[in-house]
């Protein structure tokens, strides 16, 4: 768990810095500098890209994580052909995507032309956007299998967002047109992909060879079945989580996607620690399954659940504590998404609090259940979104996410408990929840400050002191206490050296 803790900490810092830049883009620049439809178009591209990555890569990214330990233990670096074949199959997946857009061209026009004409006008830019976005996702997975997560996170979370900030400002100042903005926006992942490839090549971690190795010959049938099953599971899961924006854009118009995107973005802040922890833990879990080290798997499962729950509760309650202040920085029309933030955020807390279910299943011999349970999630999510969006508008997406995510994670937890005897919860889980509620109650009654920014700072500071103090005082997580102790020791050591000088 030490590798997971230390590398995920670095990645989390980078990701949160990226989200700070992204918050400036999403909450301040896009809503004020672009029209609602223009802003929504960029969000729709992102949602579609996220959904299409597993399809265009044929889910080879998870396969790289799952099978890399077998390649590394049997082949020399220059003979390792895993990434080479994954790259070729990704090109095939992208070709199938392009083919599908031509086959379903009339249906796309029929669904979006009336309410989202701007999306149709710039549809052709999906091709470079999806191509580079997908390939970056593949090589990001490969980097993770080599325990190189910091640079990919820096490129994806920081570089892309800073570059987006520059493009938004350039467009607002009329240095470039909106069409030029969309072209450059669609090529950003290509820029980061080149940097990542050069980095891996210089560290002698990237070799392309299309001579099929004995490992590939032996494992290819298993890898093919695994990839295709996981492809279905991932697409089901991503569709379930992003279907709301697609339904709203076709039913209520593109501008409503802009309102929903704010709610999604705020709720997504809660999941940042999960992304960094999962990126590091997945190859460790794969290696542990290979070695049949159930003790280590159980340790990662429970500790990841507790760490994620603590982080999720802290971020979720800090956001909800200041939700009115946050929306005060946006145009008034965006406030329609206030309660969608609460519902979507609560669904993220449930997802994170149940640990690395997906990663544990996808790296185990019961990986097929990842497909079956994701099918359940999609089967629940689509009709719930259709019905609840019709009845409750943007809040309907939140209700759908909360209900489907609760059932989805309950099913997975019960399956893991039955097959492996593992549960994500411990006595510390209850402690974390009680401390979080106590901290929120302590801060919610604080009198309002003169300005929104001052209120956020004061209320957030009180909440943080009570929450973090409670977690450390009651020793809820040994990892958090040890990390805090190590940081305090470094600070004291630095101050002592400075004093002596």
């Amino acid at each position: 768990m030490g590798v997971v803790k230390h590398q995920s900490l670095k990645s989390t810092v980078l990701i949160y810095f990226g989200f700070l830049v992204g918050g400036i883009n999403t909450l301040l620049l896009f809503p004020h500098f672009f029209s609602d439809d223009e802003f929504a178009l960029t969000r729709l591209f992102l949602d579609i890209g996220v959904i299409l990555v597993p399809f265009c890569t044929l889910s080879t990214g998870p396969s790289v994580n799952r099978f890399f330990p077998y390649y590394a233990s049997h082949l020399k670096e220059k003979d390792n052909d895993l990434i080479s074949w994954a790259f070729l199959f990704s090109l095939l997946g992208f070709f199938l995507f392009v083919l599908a857009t031509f086959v379903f061209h009339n249906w796309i026009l029929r669904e979006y032309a009336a309410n989202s004409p701007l999306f149709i006008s710039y549809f052709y830019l999906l091709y470079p956007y999806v191509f580079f976005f997908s390939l970056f996702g593949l090589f990001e997975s490969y980097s993770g299998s080599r325990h190189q997560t910091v640079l990919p996170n820096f490129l994806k979370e920081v570089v892309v967002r800073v570059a987006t900030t520059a493009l938004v400002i350039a467009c607002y100042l009329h240095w470039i047109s909106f069409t030029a903005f969309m072209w450059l926006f669609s090529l950003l992942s290509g820029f980061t992909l080149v940097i990542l490839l050069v980095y891996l090549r210089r560290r002698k971690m990237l070799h392309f060879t299309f001579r099929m190795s004995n490992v590939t010959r032996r494992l290819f049938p298993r890898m093919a079945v695994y990839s295709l099953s996981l492809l279905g599971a991932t697409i089901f899961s991503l569709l379930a989580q992003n279907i709301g924006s697609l339904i709203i854009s076709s039913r209520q118009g593109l501008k409503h996607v802009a309102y929903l995107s704010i709610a999604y973005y705020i709720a997504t802040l809660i999941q940042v620690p999960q992304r960094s922890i999962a990126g590091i833990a997945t190859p460790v879990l794969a290696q542990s399954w290979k070695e049949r080290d159930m003790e280590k798997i159980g340790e990662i499962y429970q500790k990841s659940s507790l760490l994620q729950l603590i982080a999720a509760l802290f971020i979720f309650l800090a956001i909800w504590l200041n939700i009115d202040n946050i929306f005060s920085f946006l145009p008034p029309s965006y406030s329609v998404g206030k309660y969608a933030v609460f519902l979507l955020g609560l669904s993220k807390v449930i997802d994170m609090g149940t640990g690395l279910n997906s990663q544990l299943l996808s790296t185990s011999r019961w990986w097929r259940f990842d497909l079956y349970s994701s099918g359940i999630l999609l089967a629940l999510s689509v009709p719930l979104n259709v019905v609840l969006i019709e009845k409750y508008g943007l809040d309907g997406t939140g209700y759908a996410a909360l209900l489907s995510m609760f059932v989805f994670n309950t099913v997975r937890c019960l399956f893991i408990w039955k097959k492996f005897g593992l549960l994500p919860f411990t006595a510390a889980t209850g402690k974390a929840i009680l401390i979080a509620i106590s901290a929120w109650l302590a801060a919610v009654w604080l009198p309002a400050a003169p300005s929104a920014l001052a209120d956020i700072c004061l209320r957030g500071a009180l909440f943080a002191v009570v929450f973090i103090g409670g977690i450390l005082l009651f020793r809820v997580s040994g990892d958090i206490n040890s990390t805090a102790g190590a940081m305090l020791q470094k600070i004291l050591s630095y101050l002592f050296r400075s004093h002596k000088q």
Side-chain angles (χ1 to χ4, degrees):
M1 193 66 188
V3 174
V4 176
K5 180 178 68 174
H6 293 298
Q7 290 203 33
S8 63
L9 180 61
K10 293 179 183 178
S11 295
T12 299
V13 171
L14 284 175
I15 292 172
Y16 267 117
F17 179 76
F19 264 77
L20 175 63
V21 179
I24 294 171
N25 293 342
T26 304
L27 302 177
L28 299 177
L29 300 187
F30 274 116
H32 293 285
F33 290 0
F34 282 15
S35 70
D36 291 350
D37 282 357
E38 289 171 342
F39 174 30
L41 181 64
T42 62
R43 298 301 93 189
L44 197 58
F45 264 49
L46 180 60
D47 290 344
I48 291 172
V50 168
I51 292 171
L52 288 176
V53 163
F55 178 82
C56 290
T57 60
L58 297 180
S59 206
T60 50
S63 292
V64 169
N65 276 323
R66 173 71 170 81
F67 291 98
F68 184 81
Y70 297 92
Y71 278 79
S73 61
H74 291 91
L75 293 172
K76 295 179 181 178
E77 185 76 42
K78 63 183 179 61
D79 297 325
N80 192 328
D81 58 334
L82 177 60
I83 190 62
S84 304
W85 294 110
F87 174 69
L88 282 183
F89 278 104
S90 296
L91 295 180
L92 173 62
F94 177 74
F95 170 76
L96 293 175
F97 156 67
V98 173
L99 184 63
T101 61
F102 284 101
V103 172
F104 294 102
H105 180 259
N106 290 335
W107 177 84
I108 294 169
L109 284 177
R110 186 171 63 252
E111 286 295 311
Y112 291 95
N115 292 321
S116 304
L118 194 64
F119 175 60
I120 298 300
S121 300
Y122 288 94
F123 184 84
Y124 64 95
L125 288 179
L126 270 179
Y127 296 125
Y129 182 84
V130 168
F131 179 74
F132 291 120
F133 197 80
S134 299
L135 286 184
F136 184 87
L138 170 64
F139 286 98
E140 180 188 17
S141 295
Y142 176 69
S143 298
S145 70
R146 308 302 302 267
H147 302 288
Q148 301 291 321
T149 61
V150 176
L151 179 67
N153 279 321
F154 174 71
L155 292 172
K156 182 175 68 174
E157 308 294 350
V158 178
V159 172
V160 168
R161 288 189 169 100
V162 170
T164 301
T165 303
L167 292 177
V168 171
I169 293 173
C171 188
Y172 175 72
L173 295 175
H174 302 292
W175 294 348
I176 59 175
S177 65
F178 181 72
T179 298
F181 168 86
M182 287 304 300
W183 264 105
L184 294 170
F185 179 78
S186 67
L187 296 173
L188 280 178
S189 291
F191 173 68
T192 55
L193 173 64
V194 171
I195 295 175
L196 180 58
L197 293 178
V198 170
Y199 171 80
L200 291 172
R201 186 70 177 177
R202 287 186 174 179
R203 292 183 68 91
K204 299 181 179 179
M205 292 182 175
L206 185 63
H207 301 274
F208 288 101
T209 174
F210 297 100
R211 180 179 297 173
M212 188 175 288
S213 66
N214 290 330
V215 178
T216 299
R217 289 191 182 94
R218 179 164 52 88
L219 293 179
F220 182 77
R222 287 173 58 191
M223 291 170 64
V225 174
Y226 178 83
S227 293
L228 291 175
S229 297
L230 224 60
L231 170 63
T234 309
I235 289 178
F236 288 168
S237 179
L238 289 172
L239 273 174
Q241 295 179 54
N242 294 278
I243 196 71
S245 61
L246 299 179
I247 293 174
I248 283 178
S249 61
S250 64
R251 299 288 180 86
Q252 299 187 0
L254 199 58
K255 69 177 181 179
H256 290 275
V257 177
Y259 308 150
L260 181 62
S261 69
I262 295 294
Y264 269 139
Y265 181 81
I266 296 172
T268 302
L269 290 171
I270 299 166
Q271 276 191 306
V272 172
Q274 183 184 52
R275 292 162 64 177
S276 56
I277 291 173
I280 298 297
T282 300
V284 178
L285 283 170
Q287 185 67 36
S288 299
W289 280 116
K290 180 177 180 290
E291 297 170 355
R292 299 182 182 180
D293 189 348
M294 290 302 300
E295 184 178 349
K296 189 170 187 178
I297 291 168
E299 179 188 11
I300 292 174
Y301 187 40
Q302 289 191 338
K303 286 190 174 183
S304 70
S305 170
L306 181 59
L307 288 172
Q308 289 185 165
L309 178 64
I310 291 170
L313 288 170
F314 178 78
I315 302 166
F316 171 64
L317 292 177
I319 289 170
W320 189 245
L321 197 62
N322 293 287
I323 192 65
D324 290 323
N325 291 324
I326 292 170
F327 274 102
S328 71
F329 294 109
L330 294 165
S333 58
Y334 284 81
S335 61
V336 69
K338 174 181 174 180
Y339 289 101
V341 172
F342 178 81
L343 297 165
L344 290 168
L346 199 55
S347 74
K348 303 296 185 186
V349 173
I350 291 171
D351 189 41
M352 289 181 65
T354 49
L356 300 176
N357 287 329
S358 179
Q359 291 75 18
L360 188 149
L361 286 169
S362 65
T363 54
S364 75
R365 63 190 180 90
W366 291 96
W367 48 265
R368 285 183 180 85
F369 191 76
D370 199 34
L371 171 64
Y372 306 147
S373 56
S374 296
I376 294 172
L377 177 63
L378 183 62
L380 286 170
S381 186
V382 173
L384 282 174
N385 269 284
V386 171
V387 173
L388 294 175
I389 286 173
E390 190 71 30
K391 187 171 184 180
Y392 299 107
L394 260 62
D395 291 347
T397 300
Y399 285 120
L402 182 59
L403 291 171
S404 56
M405 197 59 68
F406 176 78
V407 174
F408 172 65
N409 281 289
T410 299
V411 169
R412 287 194 169 195
C413 284
L414 290 174
F415 181 84
I416 291 171
W417 178 51
K418 181 179 179 181
K419 292 298 180 184
F420 310 122
L422 300 175
L423 282 172
F425 311 117
T426 64
T429 303
K431 285 185 185 179
I433 294 172
L434 289 174
I435 290 169
I437 294 173
S438 300
W440 185 82
L441 289 173
V444 74
W445 300 111
L446 192 70
S451 69
L453 186 59
D455 197 62
I456 289 174
C457 293
L458 292 173
R459 205 175 296 275
L462 177 60
F463 173 75
V465 168
V466 177
F467 184 93
I468 297 172
I471 294 295
L472 293 174
L473 180 64
F474 292 98
R475 303 189 66 83
V476 176
S477 168
D479 284 321
I480 292 177
N481 277 74
S482 64
T483 301
M487 291 174 63
L488 180 61
Q489 189 174 14
K490 287 182 180 180
I491 293 170
L492 291 176
S493 177
Y494 174 78
L495 292 175
F496 180 72
R497 285 198 307 269
S498 301
H499 178 72
K500 287 184 69 177
Q501 292 174 359

